[in-house]
Amino acid sequence: MPTRDEIDTKERADRALRAGQAAEALGLYRSLLARVAVFEPGLYESWLEGALGAYRMRGARRAVGFIQLALRRFAEVESALTAEQDPVPWALALGRQGRRKEAASRLEKAGLRVLAARELEEAGDLPGARALWERLERDPRLRLRAYEMALVQLMRSRVERGLGNEDTAAQHLIQAVSGLEALADDYESRGQRERAFDCYLLILRVGQGAGAAFENLAEGYVNAIRILMADGQRDFALQYMDDFMTAAAKRFEFHAAATVALDAADYSRRQGLAFEPDFLRKAVELWTEAARQSLSQGQAPELAENAFSAALDAATSLGDLPLMGRVYEALAELPIDAAKTVRYAALATRYSRASESPPAGPALPSAFKSPGAYQDIAWQDLIEWELDGQAEATLALVVVERTDHLRFVRAALLALLAAVDQPAWADQPAAARAVIAGLGDVEVYEVLAPLERLARHTLPEVRAAVMGAAGKILCKRSFQTVKLGLDDSDERVRAEARRALRGLHFRDGLEPLVRILRETRDPLVREAALSAVADVPILEAALVLMDVIREHDGPLRALAVDRLSSFPSLGLVPHVRAYAELCTGGARQGFDAVLNALEAYRP
Amino acid sequence: MAIEPGPRDSDARAAAELGRQLGTLVYAVTAPAAGPGVVGQAIACRNALGRLGMDPPLFVVYDLQRLLSGAEPGSGETTKPVPGRPAFDRRSAELFSRYAALLRSLAQTQALQTMARRPLPVEFEAVMVARMITDAYARWAGTGPRPAPVGALPTAAGALGQGPAQWAVNFDPSWALGFMSHLVSQRELVLARAEQIELGPLRLLGMFPGAAPTELLDLYNLMGSAVGGRAVEFSLQLLPSVLETKRSTAAQRFTIDGYASVERRGSLDALLPSELAHDSDIFEHKVLSDELLYYGHERRLESVLREHWVLLDASASMRGLREICARGLAVALAKKLSLQGEAVSLRFFDSRLHRRIPVGAAGGHELPHILSFRSERGRHYARVFDDLLDEARRLKRRGARELAITFITHGECHVPQPLIEGLAAVCRLYGVFVLPSHPLSLPYLPLLHRHQVVTAADFAAPEARKKRGLHILEDVARANP
């Protein structure tokens, strides 16, 4: 239900519109449209309709076009926008009406071949798409862009396969995967693990394809998991392990599946999660499957014996004696050395007599599994490269394509309208601030590229605004922009960057925060980073605070003591005691103060 | 981030901890009155366990280690007073009896009975003890924070000369009963682990000289790893045949060692007797024209003329059966080539060419590392083979030795062709492709001197598997004349 205020404002805006006072009406509608988190059916749309009317009255065709885009009235967009000025939203609107080839033609004319190829692929025009990918392969802009070149080769491979050219497809795929391997290694060596992860995700997706090589699937998954674990991305790591286990088993790669099940069990245990027993039980099942597969294929019974022994090992870790008994039974039935089978049979009898299996542990719940864990980053990254940080085009894409997040679509539209109000906004600090703030409100990964471009603006006011916006986008990549700001020559930018840093407190952000904390020599930056760390409510963050108490003194230690004393995580006391035991002097006093506070807080 | 106490603190803590641990020996069931040498061994074993992240009371380590040496566990008699041991109440007496019973059951297990007959280095003993108590210890330790470990206890301290009773006076040992109680409660798991100890790795290590001192963690991982254990089995199937390989020899004219050949030159005592049967004219003619035949004596090759690098793909693409097969094959191959007199080294690769592991006379201590190595990188074959080419060219420039390279990998190992061409020009290049998930289609295959593909069909039966493995080994060996 709309609030009284919303109803009143809407009525006033409607009256102003009817009275031909477009500016007043628009102000009121814009105040309503700022409430992006209103989800009553039809309500926000009614405000949009009002704003549309006001813009029409003022003759603001671009604004009208963008609102029509948000209202998904694509047929109206064509008349409001021009292909020359706004090729991306114009073509997107055409594409959504099924006129994809026209859209592609317009995009190609604008030099946007990636988007054009996408439209052609959607239209089923694979030869046309292939021609565009071929041209992109020769594009001089890609000569020094190895990552994007690998993506283009991936795309080319896919299209060639669609056209039945298996050899050419394989050739391009090999080039793409080899390129991605090299890039992943390079990124990892330079500490850019997120980018390395992207490469492994792409290799993984290559391996996921129908009839694709398991070797690529394993390469992608295992390395992606390794990076996720190193970055402390526990939930994603477990999801990937679980998914890899399932995928490997589906391809009858039971040895690999069982190994990852054991890894997942070990990781769950180290993370203090309850999934260890379930993963161990799955490992038993998978090793058993491996043994059965081996027997059914007429392979040596010793191979089956090996697999059963591994199953036994997992069952023992589980502490499940009856299960061990069943595995021994299977071992006793193998056509192997008689002395061994007699021994196995005796052990089977011994363990089968055991009382009961321990209760089954919980399986990894679906809540741990994110639907966005395997994003199609190839398209995303190529489009980002092609748009080169153009704010309006990027925002238009968000408006049309991020329909899964209505709030972000609305925020993107508002940013677009702010940009439309002042077409030369990038050169006017006040207008730029408005657009940049709007970009920050969108809060999705896609707007980081325009912000990164604006972070190199010559005007410090603009750069400072960028810092504020970057601080709202809770992605690891935001730290790149903020770090630029921390080293800026202008204090206003640096101050904004510190403020932004202070706001970037999210689980995945802990690692970059700690890196900044350790690398910087600026006490103000340290303080901001430490405060942000203290706002990440997980044990790992508390451990960082303990390290600071132990290693630093002065205000930083005092801040760490203060924040740790009211840290929201439970079960902290034993950790603090373990640290305190080994410290003397100020550090010991600090830990004692924390212990006192935590003990006093305990209910 | 690790928390380390200062050096002085650390020494004092170690001395105190030594006393505390020695005091627990009053609970030992196997020959508690053993001398300082045996106690020192137990402390060394416990220190090794510490390196594996385990910190059990000394008496448990002592008892299990003694069992591995074939000592008989005592009866767990609780009524007989033991100097220094706190008097047992009914509950602790029962606990002690159950602990002794556990040790007796352990001593009956097949693995312990087999091991009791062969002396083991202390590192191996530590790994066996760790395997036996792994689950029980994990459940006891939990995942919560633990006090910082004290570090290694001194094994040569004078303190070892004092009896446990004296230490038990200063350090009440009853703190250790908690672990005893836990161990007894996990009796079935401890027994199960003992039953499952695989002697394969020990047998394999026995086939390589110089295998005793090894990296503890590698050995532990090998004993506990599903992959490593299977690779051991694979190696064990191939190695006995490999060991039949005759060491490469040459002939000499010195009168030592056995006869090996017939030569044109030699001393009179090596003259073939049949030469004396000729008429004197013919004999003189043969002497003058240097046509007499002499026995040649066997001579060992003193300088190795060939170097063979066995490269083993450790990337994640090898996960599963490929990894097992590849490692078993690599170990057997390296052994065979070294027996043939080649200087063999084994190297892992992923996105890097890892350190060279010589697999010669004294390479056995690296076996656990080879079989349990786990890559922490992705793959990057262009870089690896580029580095390899550089090294191969350097060796060629030095001109001393011929080079052969065998790489064992998977079906998606795509290496830029120019690199393969370059390598093939400076060395004999051999590829072994293990269990490709698709028909092998690598453009550089024709550039290799030879290659082999291991398929699932090669595992059809033990004999077939062995035959196939040996065929590959023979083929690689033949490919390097």
Side-chain angles (χ1 to χ4, degrees):
Chain A
M1 286 288 288
T3 62
R4 185 70 255 163
D5 174 51
E6 285 165 355
I7 293 168
D8 288 348
T9 309
K10 169 80 168 41
E11 281 175 2
R12 280 167 53 211
D14 288 347
R15 272 199 303 274
L17 188 62
R18 281 195 297 273
Q21 294 163 336
E24 185 192 342
L26 200 53
L28 292 165
Y29 285 127
R30 290 283 290 266
S31 74
L32 287 169
L33 290 176
R35 302 170 196 201
V36 293
V38 166
F39 298 110
E40 279 79 6
L43 182 60
Y44 196 87
E45 287 70 20
S46 72
W47 300 340
L48 274 178
E49 293 286 1
L52 184 68
Y55 276 119
R56 269 201 187 116
M57 198 174 278
R58 295 182 71 184
R61 291 167 63 94
R62 284 183 81 205
V64 168
F66 288 130
I67 294 178
Q68 300 284 29
L69 204 63
L71 287 166
R72 310 192 76 70
R73 291 181 195 146
F74 298 116
E76 317 295 329
V77 175
E78 197 181 346
S79 55
L81 300 180
T82 63
E84 289 72 24
Q85 191 174 12
D86 293 301
V88 173
W90 191 86
L92 287 173
L94 244 62
R96 290 302 184 281
Q97 297 173 67
R99 293 156 63 191
R100 295 197 178 272
K101 288 193 181 177
E102 280 177 72
S105 166
R106 187 68 245 175
L107 287 165
E108 197 190 347
K109 267 188 202 150
L112 300 168
R113 287 177 184 148
V114 175
L115 283 167
R118 189 173 68 157
E119 292 297 328
L120 287 181
E121 285 191 33
E122 288 286 337
D125 181 4
L126 293 186
R130 175 176 59 187
L132 286 172
W133 292 123
E134 276 174 340
R135 255 176 270 167
L136 272 160
E137 278 179 312
R138 294 192 299 270
D139 191 326
R141 289 177 302 163
L142 282 175
R143 263 186 218 140
L144 295 173
R145 308 280 305 194
Y147 176 70
E148 284 76 13
M149 179 56 96
L151 297 184
V152 169
Q153 283 164 336
L154 270 186
M155 296 297 187
R156 172 90 192 269
S157 163
R158 197 171 40 76
V159 171
E160 293 288 0
R161 179 153 293 124
L163 289 166
N165 304 327
E166 289 296 333
D167 287 349
T168 318
Q171 202 182 334
H172 280 86
L173 190 69
I174 290 167
Q175 282 175 3
V177 172
S178 300
L180 289 169
E181 286 167 19
L183 282 161
D185 180 45
D186 187 40
Y187 289 141
E188 236 183 321
S189 304
R190 287 193 269 144
Q192 293 178 295
R193 284 206 294 247
E194 304 88 63
R195 301 215 65 188
F197 176 83
D198 287 350
C199 295
Y200 290 124
L201 176 58
L202 288 161
I203 295 175
L204 183 167
R205 287 179 64 98
V206 167
Q208 277 177 331
F214 178 76
E215 290 90 331
N216 287 331
L217 186 74
E219 181 70 19
Y221 258 122
V222 172
N223 286 298
I225 290 167
R226 183 170 55 75
I227 291 177
L228 288 170
M229 283 164 66
D231 280 356
Q233 300 210 42
R234 190 192 67 183
D235 297 3
F236 276 123
L238 280 168
Q239 176 176 2
Y240 270 49
M241 285 193 244
D242 198 53
D243 292 347
F244 181 37
M245 184 180 71
T246 309
K250 270 189 190 158
R251 296 196 192 189
F252 305 104
E253 294 271 357
F254 293 115
H255 282 79
T259 312
V260 78
L262 290 177
D263 289 345
D266 182 53
Y267 185 64
S268 296
R269 184 180 54 76
R270 283 189 282 119
Q271 294 292 317
L273 295 171
F275 313 126
E276 183 193 8
D278 184 64
F279 280 119
L280 282 173
R281 205 168 288 283
K282 281 175 178 151
V284 176
E285 287 164 14
L286 289 163
W287 282 121
T288 305
E289 278 304 315
R292 289 196 182 124
Q293 179 192 39
S294 176
L295 289 172
S296 70
Q297 290 178 351
Q299 292 178 350
E302 283 78 5
L303 275 182
E305 186 189 11
N306 284 338
F308 277 132
S309 300
L312 196 60
D313 189 70
T316 312
S317 299
L318 196 55
D320 189 334
L321 302 181
L323 183 58
M324 285 162 59
R326 289 198 291 279
V327 179
Y328 271 124
E329 267 172 36
L331 275 163
E333 286 167 14
L334 291 176
I336 49 175
D337 178 42
K340 276 187 176 179
T341 52
V342 168
R343 179 169 163 261
Y344 288 146
L347 289 165
T349 311
R350 177 166 134 200
Y351 289 114
S352 301
R353 280 201 299 260
S355 51
E356 280 180 6
S357 293
L364 189 71
S366 55
F368 261 73
K369 296 204 166 188
S370 159
Y374 299 95
Q375 288 187 25
D376 190 357
I377 58 169
W379 278 116
Q380 278 177 22
D381 289 350
L382 273 175
I383 291 170
E384 183 187 306
W385 164 76
E386 186 165 77
L387 294 183
D388 192 24
Q390 293 173 43
E392 285 99 329
T394 305
L395 288 166
L397 266 170
V398 172
V399 168
V400 175
E401 298 188 348
R402 291 299 293 262
T403 46
D404 51 334
H405 289 101
L406 205 51
R407 196 163 68 85
F408 302 145
V409 167
R410 290 168 178 175
L413 175 65
L414 291 180
L416 265 176
L417 293 176
V420 167
D421 284 349
Q422 297 283 344
W425 59 269
D427 302 324
Q428 301 164 16
R433 274 201 298 272
V435 175
I436 290 167
L439 281 165
D441 288 340
V442 181
E443 292 180 33
V444 293
Y445 180 86
E446 286 90 328
V447 298
L448 281 169
L451 287 176
E452 284 164 6
R453 181 172 166 160
L454 289 162
R456 297 190 296 270
H457 202 283
T458 49
L459 294 174
E461 297 93 322
V462 174
R463 297 200 299 275
V466 168
M467 297 306 137
K472 291 181 185 172
I473 300 165
L474 304 186
C475 297
K476 286 176 97 172
R477 183 170 156 184
S478 305
F479 286 96
Q480 290 176 23
T481 306
V482 172
K483 273 164 96 174
L484 275 181
L486 292 172
D487 293 333
D488 199 282
S489 56
D490 193 293
E491 173 53 26
R492 283 169 293 175
V493 183
R494 292 199 298 272
E496 275 304 319
R498 287 195 296 272
R499 216 184 324 272
L501 185 66
R502 179 70 189 76
L504 288 172
H505 48 82
F506 55 103
R507 191 190 176 101
D508 295 349
L510 184 61
E511 188 254 330
L513 278 172
V514 173
R515 203 181 295 172
I516 291 172
L517 180 65
R518 296 214 167 115
E519 287 171 2
T520 185
R521 291 182 179 179
D522 182 340
L524 293 175
V525 175
R526 266 189 202 162
E527 219 176 286
L530 188 67
S531 298
V533 166
D535 279 338
V536 183
I538 56 173
L539 180 64
E540 289 83 349
L543 293 174
V544 174
L545 294 177
M546 289 183 221
D547 283 338
V548 169
I549 295 175
R550 199 165 58 89
E551 291 168 0
H552 294 265
D553 51 16
L556 205 64
R557 177 186 282 162
L559 178 61
V561 168
D562 180 48
R563 298 303 310 270
L564 195 61
S565 298
S566 56
F567 198 79
S569 172
L570 295 172
L572 212 53
V573 171
H575 293 273
V576 179
R577 280 214 189 95
Y579 269 70
E581 247 182 51
L582 295 167
C583 291
T584 53
R588 179 61 187 247
Q589 284 168 9
F591 282 119
D592 287 344
V594 172
L595 278 171
N596 283 337
L598 292 175
E599 295 282 1
Y601 179 72
R602 186 184 285 178
Chain B
M1 203 174 285
I3 315 168
E4 298 289 344
R8 195 179 298 169
D9 290 351
S10 151
D11 289 349
R13 286 184 71 197
E17 183 63 15
L18 178 65
R20 202 170 79 99
Q21 293 292 344
L22 286 171
T24 68
L25 288 178
V26 294
Y27 295 127
V29 174
T30 52
V38 179
V39 175
Q41 284 280 305
I43 292 172
C45 186
R46 190 179 174 282
N47 287 343
L49 284 169
R51 278 151 54 203
L52 296 173
M54 290 185 177
D55 187 26
L58 183 63
F59 79 96
V60 173
V61 180
Y62 175 89
D63 277 337
L64 294 177
Q65 194 189 23
R66 298 290 292 147
L67 285 189
L68 288 170
S69 313
E72 288 293 321
S75 62
E77 181 59 65
T78 54
T79 50
K80 205 163 60 181
V82 171
R85 189 171 76 190
F88 282 134
D89 57 16
R90 192 181 58 79
R91 242 176 103 183
S92 42
E94 190 194 340
L95 172 63
F96 190 64
S97 302
R98 286 170 60 201
Y99 172 64
L102 169 61
L103 292 188
R104 284 196 299 279
S105 301
L106 278 173
Q108 296 305 310
T109 57
Q110 193 185 53
L112 263 76
Q113 288 194 336
T114 311
M115 274 183 285
R117 291 197 292 271
R118 54 197 297 177
L120 293 173
V122 72
E123 289 86 357
F124 285 23
E125 288 180 334
V127 167
M128 299 299 160
V129 171
R131 289 296 297 159
M132 278 189 268
I133 64 170
T134 178
D135 304 296
Y137 186 85
R139 284 171 165 77
W140 180 67
T143 52
R146 311 261 318 136
V150 173
L153 301 178
T155 52
L160 306 191
Q162 296 178 39
Q166 282 172 274
W167 288 109
V169 172
N170 294 330
F171 296 92
D172 179 5
S174 52
W175 63 270
L177 287 175
F179 188 79
M180 185 195 282
S181 167
H182 176 76
L183 200 65
V184 165
S185 74
Q186 303 288 312
R187 173 193 159 88
E188 289 302 329
L189 283 186
V190 177
L191 281 172
R193 280 293 177 210
E195 292 285 1
Q196 289 165 21
I197 287 178
E198 293 280 347
L199 299 178
L202 294 185
R203 278 194 289 141
L204 182 65
L205 289 168
M207 291 181 180
F208 284 75
T214 187
E215 191 54 50
L216 193 69
L217 198 58
D218 285 336
L219 186 61
Y220 181 72
N221 287 340
L222 175 63
M223 296 294 287
S225 122
V227 172
R230 314 284 91 78
V232 165
E233 286 300 319
F234 195 87
S235 312
L236 281 171
Q237 288 194 353
L238 299 176
L239 273 168
S241 308
V242 165
L243 293 173
E244 289 165 15
T245 303
K246 193 166 164 30
R247 187 176 288 279
S248 209
T249 57
Q252 61 172 357
R253 281 177 280 126
F254 298 105
T255 53
I256 51 169
D257 291 333
Y259 292 125
S261 64
V262 174
E263 304 282 321
R264 283 279 181 193
R265 290 172 180 275
S267 58
L268 270 179
D269 63 336
L271 191 68
L272 256 65
S274 57
E275 298 290 30
L276 298 171
H278 294 300
D279 292 340
S280 54
D281 291 350
I282 295 174
F283 183 77
E284 279 168 19
H285 171 75
K286 288 189 89 169
V287 169
L288 291 173
S289 53
D290 236 1
E291 285 181 3
L292 283 175
L293 296 173
Y294 304 84
Y295 283 121
H297 291 266
E298 193 174 83
R299 171 170 66 92
R300 285 195 174 193
L301 266 182
E302 280 158 9
S303 61
V304 176
L305 296 175
R306 269 193 305 274
E307 199 156 315
H308 201 124
W309 298 347
V310 179
L311 303 182
L312 186 49
D313 192 333
S315 69
S317 314
M318 297 290 284
R319 272 292 169 102
L321 204 51
R322 289 172 192 84
E323 197 173 6
I324 295 166
C325 174
R327 297 203 182 183
L329 204 57
V331 167
L333 177 62
K335 184 73 182 172
K336 181 171 181 75
L337 293 168
S338 75
L339 282 173
Q340 284 186 342
E342 299 190 24
V344 185
S345 54
L346 196 144
R347 298 179 85 168
F348 285 107
F349 67 97
D350 37 40
S351 63
R352 296 288 182 282
L353 203 46
H354 289 264
R355 73 180 170 92
R356 189 171 296 157
I357 306 168
V359 189
H365 65 282
E366 296 278 14
L367 262 183
H369 173 71
I370 294 169
L371 293 169
S372 63
F373 176 82
R374 204 158 183 185
S375 163
E376 288 296 321
R377 290 176 174 279
R379 63 188 191 202
H380 183 353
Y381 298 134
R383 176 181 177 145
V384 164
F385 280 76
D386 194 36
D387 290 349
L388 190 64
L389 181 57
D390 277 350
E391 291 193 24
R393 282 181 176 152
R394 257 201 309 277
L395 189 78
K396 177 134 178 137
R397 270 199 300 276
R398 288 206 298 270
R401 289 173 171 179
E402 284 176 25
L403 175 65
I405 295 176
T406 299
F407 61 99
I408 305 175
T409 184
H410 55 87
E412 293 295 315
C413 175
H414 295 284
V415 184
Q417 287 203 44
L419 291 175
I420 296 288
E421 275 166 3
L423 275 167
V426 291
C427 68
R428 303 278 308 172
L429 197 55
Y430 197 109
V432 180
F433 301 91
V434 183
L435 297 171
S437 62
H438 285 77
L440 201 60
S441 164
L442 298 167
Y444 61 77
L445 282 186
L447 300 173
L448 301 177
H449 290 103
R450 293 176 83 106
H451 74 272
Q452 289 272 355
V453 183
V454 179
T455 64
D458 296 325
F459 299 115
E463 275 312 305
R465 179 156 57 127
K466 187 172 149 187
K467 202 169 151 189
R468 177 73 178 127
L470 286 171
H471 171 66
I472 292 169
L473 303 190
E474 295 291 347
D475 196 32
V476 176
R478 263 203 310 274
N480 299 289

